[in-house]
Amino acid sequence: MAAAAGSEHAAEEGTLSIYKAARRIKRRESTLYNALRSVADDAAFVAEIAALWPALPLVANLRCGLWYAQPRSLAATCYFKSTDGHAGNWGFSTARLNLHLALLAGERGGCIIVDSTRKGKRFPDSMAKTIPIWCCVLNRAIQRHRLRAINQAVVPNGDAEEYSGSSNWDSSVHLPVWVLETEKNAIEGHIEEWADLFESCGADIHSLALGLQKPLRPLWISQNTRIWLNEVPDHQLWDFTPIILVSASASGAVATQRTASEFSWRYIPGAGDDEESWARGLTPTLFWKHSYDLLDGGPDLCNQLVADIVEKDRVYRAQRGEHSPQVIVKHVKCSRHGLEPYTGDHTIIAQPMNSNPSTIAPANTQYSNGGHVVFWIGTSNLAVGSTMQVADGLADMDCILNCDSTSRLPPSSSEDSYLELPIVGSKDERFSLLNNLPKAVSFAKKNLIARRKMLLCCQNGEDISICVALAIITRLFSDTGCFDCGESFMRRDVTKLEMRKRLVFICKYAVNARPSRGNLRQVYGFLCNEKEQLPC
């Protein structure tokens, strides 16, 4: 019995040893230096493609795409999730409309989107299906809008010729050839439903119809694509607005050995994905700022160089009162890796047919050298931003609502003009936002009555601050966008459609908005609770 038990234990030890050996090999290949080298190698390919059409703006699909282009070469960012393109789970998200991308493509004649995947595929599902679905739904909605304008004889002056061709407007689904016909037919069966959803959410389709003279159409380019440099087509001659989808990484599923200068390194497809697991606090901006030093230092010095760069940046931000968490790397054996100008006293949420089209970047959006600082939400006296970037833009604010649980901003002299709510995301605490929204709305109501300009900020300016703004606008503003202290809220029902319309309105100005589903649920729960507490 003892001998049998001993042999079984030895067998288990042998199995564990094989597993540990496999994990050790994987960790040796997936080092920080290998990841950064792979990113730089793939970024060179992206730069070559972008140089073929220099007139087209280069756009990064968050978050992975940010690693594959230098910040100064990016015209904008977009956010398309691969989950919306997974087989059997196709969808069109009204929380990620990316209308600024469509307007940018219409103004510049198209755009180039960069992304990557580490799953051994040539293209991520965000490029293979999510973006093609998005193009088709927008085309279908624009076609409907133009046909209605023609039938109602309300075609704008000078646009009659363009609108007359609406019957030939291409609104069909264009998917890559490797997508099965059955899957393509299933997606086509949902297009009308998604177009109805897009029209019902209150999006400004009129501005899209004026900004896009040709329908959107995706094109796919990877490292396996053959391009004859003496026959590069002119995008202006195409009868559509090209959305060129560039998959940065090679599609090989197995890492390959490469050599550059005096260092040998292993290529990792899609190395920029899932940055929390390997980047050790390094961001794309910091990487490209110090790329020469990091890559020339070699694999032996890479980890220490990254640690020094991240710490210096943290201290730099901390001295200026910005978000500056300390990055802790556990060195253990199981570690995986060695706005629109002011036009009145209210905000328009749903624009009429003859409204003036909005610009690509709203005029009341403030910028800094590091990127977007704050986004003014129309004329509501509300602005959203990130505590990592707003330090230089506080002078124009009368009051601040800080929703960042990790960072403190310099408070104003009056207690009435500064409120700090330590709100965390739904993944960390399910009801953090819900429990703090009553205080946030009460603070906003008091300051909006006094006609003060208020800043709503969170750690990244993309999630919690957006949800707080959504709760405030839904609770305190009327359907036409007038601040009424919540009188209209008492007379209308709380529905997800109404909340979706206001979210679309916010995203029109805060183009970097990425509210999570869990936080949106908490906003809806708060609004329902507020409705129940109102007198009958």
Side-chain angles (χ1 to χ4, degrees):
M1 181 70 70
S7 61
E8 182 179 352
H9 179 70
E12 290 180 358
E13 285 294 329
T15 303
L16 291 175
S17 298
I18 294 174
Y19 172 77
K20 289 182 178 179
R23 293 289 296 172
R24 189 175 295 111
I25 293 173
K26 184 177 181 180
R27 288 198 302 269
R28 187 180 300 118
E29 294 177 350
S30 302
T31 62
L32 180 59
Y33 183 79
N34 287 344
L36 296 181
R37 264 291 179 186
S38 302
V39 166
D41 202 53
D42 293 337
F45 165 73
V46 173
E48 290 179 3
I49 299 300
L52 298 180
W53 293 280
L56 298 184
L58 182 62
V59 180
N61 189 30
L62 300 174
R63 292 177 303 163
C64 181
L66 282 175
W67 288 93
Y68 294 96
Q70 297 199 26
R72 65 174 180 270
S73 65
L74 291 174
T77 61
C78 59
Y79 187 43
F80 294 98
K81 294 188 68 174
S82 290
T83 52
D84 293 332
H86 289 174
N89 193 43
W90 316 287
F92 177 82
S93 174
T94 55
R96 297 179 290 273
L97 285 179
N98 295 288
L99 297 186
H100 68 288
L101 178 66
L103 293 172
L104 177 63
E107 180 188 22
R108 304 281 292 274
C111 67
I112 302 173
I113 301 178
V114 57
D115 201 354
S116 183
T117 180
R118 63 165 58 211
K119 296 181 180 180
K121 298 183 293 187
R122 290 178 62 186
F123 292 88
D125 284 340
S126 61
M127 287 184 165
K129 283 167 281 189
T130 303
I131 295 179
I133 289 174
W134 174 80
C135 292
C136 181
V137 172
L138 265 61
N139 288 337
R140 191 71 57 91
I142 292 173
Q143 184 184 45
R144 290 180 179 182
H145 176 83
R146 291 187 168 199
L147 292 176
R148 280 195 299 266
I150 292 174
N151 295 333
Q152 298 173 5
V154 290
V155 178
N157 295 333
D159 294 329
E161 182 178 352
E162 288 81 359
Y163 274 53
S164 63
S166 296
S167 58
N168 298 325
W169 185 269
D170 184 8
S171 62
S172 58
V173 182
H174 293 277
L175 295 170
V177 294
W178 59 86
V179 175
L180 298 177
E181 195 68 23
T182 54
E183 187 173 3
K184 179 180 179 181
N185 293 335
I187 292 175
E188 286 179 339
H190 291 286
I191 295 299
E192 287 295 319
E193 169 193 345
W194 292 329
D196 293 337
L197 176 64
F198 179 48
E199 290 181 337
S200 66
C201 74
D204 188 6
I205 302 177
H206 179 70
S207 294
L208 289 177
L210 293 180
L212 285 170
Q213 302 303 319
K214 301 176 183 179
L216 299 169
R217 183 168 176 177
L219 301 173
W220 295 269
I221 294 179
S222 71
Q223 293 197 22
N224 294 334
T225 304
R226 294 185 178 182
I227 300 177
W228 283 263
L229 298 181
N230 60 337
E231 298 180 4
V232 175
D234 185 355
H235 70 278
Q236 296 179 346
L237 301 180
W238 289 331
D239 58 355
F240 54 85
T241 301
I243 305 296
I244 301 177
L245 308 177
V246 179
S247 183
S249 298
S251 58
V254 181
T256 57
Q257 191 76 22
R258 299 190 181 184
T259 302
S261 66
E262 69 272 23
F263 303 115
S264 178
W265 53 284
R266 300 283 288 183
Y267 175 74
I268 304 174
D273 195 16
D274 193 19
E275 60 193 42
E276 291 86 0
S277 64
W278 62 269
R280 296 172 177 257
L282 190 70
T283 63
T285 302
L286 286 177
F287 166 63
W288 287 110
K289 184 177 180 180
H290 304 278
S291 59
Y292 291 108
D293 295 333
L294 289 173
L295 300 180
D296 291 344
D300 296 334
L301 300 178
C302 183
N303 287 6
Q304 186 59 47
L305 288 174
V306 168
D308 294 342
I309 291 171
V310 172
E311 179 62 16
K312 287 180 181 179
D313 182 70
R314 186 190 72 83
V315 173
Y316 176 84
R317 293 184 179 277
Q319 292 173 345
R320 286 153 181 79
E322 301 179 23
H323 173 70
S324 55
Q326 186 169 3
V327 178
I328 301 176
V329 180
K330 296 181 180 180
H331 297 282
V332 294
K333 292 183 179 180
C334 61
S335 175
R336 291 186 59 188
H337 297 285
L339 300 146
E340 195 171 78
Y342 187 84
T343 55
D345 58 355
H346 66 276
T347 302
I348 301 298
I349 291 180
Q351 294 193 4
M353 175 82 81
N354 58 357
S355 64
N356 193 29
S358 61
T359 58
I360 299 299
N364 55 347
T365 302
Q366 296 183 3
Y367 297 90
S368 73
N369 294 333
H372 303 302
V373 176
V374 296
F375 297 91
W376 287 98
I377 305 175
T379 56
S380 63
N381 277 344
L382 296 174
V384 294
S386 165
T387 52
M388 294 186 289
Q389 296 177 321
V390 299
D392 297 331
L394 299 180
D396 297 332
M397 303 300 170
D398 299 320
C399 53
I400 302 171
L401 175 56
N402 182 10
C403 305
D404 189 353
S405 61
T406 62
S407 178
R408 299 194 55 161
L409 295 176
S412 303
S413 57
S414 173
E415 294 182 358
D416 296 335
S417 58
Y418 183 81
L419 177 63
E420 192 171 295
L421 298 177
I423 303 176
V424 297
S426 58
K427 292 183 179 180
D428 299 319
E429 187 177 336
R430 290 183 59 187
F431 304 109
S432 177
L433 178 61
L434 177 64
N435 295 334
N436 285 280
L437 277 178
K439 296 180 183 178
V441 173
S442 176
F443 179 78
K445 182 178 180 179
K446 177 176 59 179
N447 285 281
L448 290 174
I449 290 176
R451 294 183 176 272
R452 294 177 176 174
K453 297 179 180 179
M454 184 167 69
L455 170 66
L456 312 173
C457 55
C458 63
Q459 180 176 334
N460 55 22
E462 302 170 355
D463 186 2
I464 294 177
S465 59
I466 299 296
C467 291
V468 173
L470 175 62
I472 293 172
I473 288 179
T474 307
R475 180 65 179 85
L476 302 178
F477 286 74
S478 67
D479 295 337
T480 58
C482 297
F483 172 71
D484 62 359
C485 294
E487 293 182 5
S488 60
F489 181 80
M490 301 176 63
R491 299 189 297 269
R492 67 170 182 264
D493 296 330
V494 176
T495 65
K496 291 184 178 180
L497 177 60
E498 291 298 321
M499 197 175 78
R500 187 182 298 123
K501 288 181 179 180
R502 283 156 179 78
L503 178 60
V504 170
F505 163 72
I506 293 173
C507 293
K508 174 184 176 182
Y509 300 97
V511 296
N512 67 331
R514 295 192 291 164
S516 64
R517 184 176 301 178
N519 287 337
L520 289 176
R521 285 201 193 101
Q522 294 182 65
V523 174
Y524 182 70
F526 162 76
L527 295 173
C528 292
N529 292 340
E530 288 286 293
K531 193 67 177 180
E532 292 175 357
Q533 296 176 7
L534 293 175
C536 298

